[in-house]
Amino acid sequence: MKIALTELSTKDLATLAQRIISNALSGKYPVIINHPLISALQYSYDDYDKVYTKQIYSGKGVDVATADQERDRAYRNLKAFLNGYRKLSSASNYQTAEELYQVFKKFGLNLDRLSYSSQTAQMKKLIEELEAPENIQKLSVLSLDRAFADMKTKHRDFETLFSEQADANADLRQMTSATAIRKGLEKTLKSYFSLITAMKDVPGWEFFYSDTNELVKAAKNSSLGKKEGGDTAPQI
C-alpha cells in the first residue's frame, strides 16, 4: 500500500481521507470498529476540511483598488478645477480659487500617486483643513460644496473597504497554517496505512486491507492522470 501523499492535490487528499473514513465506519469490518486511529483520522480530516479551500487573502483587493481610483478621480477633479479657475484673472472670485489651491499645494499636488497609507494620511489632513469655516465658505462661493462632499465620501468609502480588507486578511493569517494541517493529515494517514499493512495477514484484516488498498490505488491513479493531463492542482 504505497502512495506519495505529498503529490496528491489538496482535493484528492481530502477525497482519499473521506473515503478511507467512510469505509472504516461502514460497519463491514469489525476489526477496525472503534479503533483509536479512526478517531484520530476523523479529527485530522475535520481540521483539514475547514481550511484546505480557504482563501489566502480576503479577495477584497479589486474593490479596494476601485475605491482608490474613485477617490483619486474626485481629488483630481477638484484640484484641476481650482487650478484652472485661479488662472482666470478676469473671472470673479479667482483669488478664492487661488487660496484654496494653495491648501491643496500645502499637502502635495500628487496625492493620487502615493501609496495607500501615505495618501490616506495626507488626504485626512487636506480634508480637515478644507473643513475649516473660512475654507468651507470659499468652497461655497465657488459652488464646490458637492464636489468637496464627493471627495470626502470617496475617501471615507476607501478607508472603510481598506479597513475591512485588513481585518479579513488578519483573520485569515491567524487561522492555523493549512500546510501544517495537511502534514498532520498525511501523518495520520501514513500511520493508518502502516497499521493495516502490518495486519493484512491476520484473519479478519485481509479483506479490509484489500478494500483500503483499492481506495489508495484510485487516489494514486487520479493523481497520475492529472499530471499527464497537465492538471497542476495547488498544494497547501
Side-chain angles (χ1 to χ4, degrees), residues 99-136:
E99 291 167 0
L100 288 174
Y101 186 77
Q102 291 305 314
V103 176
F104 273 73
K105 191 173 182 180
K106 178 180 178 180
F107 297 104
L109 295 176
N110 296 306
L111 300 189
D112 52 320
R113 298 181 184 179
L114 300 178
S115 66
Y116 286 166
S117 57
S118 295
Q119 181 176 353
T120 291
Q122 291 301 92
M123 284 284 286
K124 182 176 183 294
K125 293 177 181 178
L126 171 63
I127 289 171
E128 287 176 352
E129 183 140 344
L130 289 174
E131 285 180 327
E134 64 273 17
N135 288 326
I136 287 293

Side-chain angles (χ1 to χ4, degrees), residues 5-6 8 10 13 178-186 235-236:
L5 295 174
T6 56
L8 294 182
T10 56
L13 180 64
T179 299
I181 290 178
R182 176 179 178 123
K183 289 180 179 178
L185 178 58
E186 290 175 357
Q235 299 289 316
I236 60 172

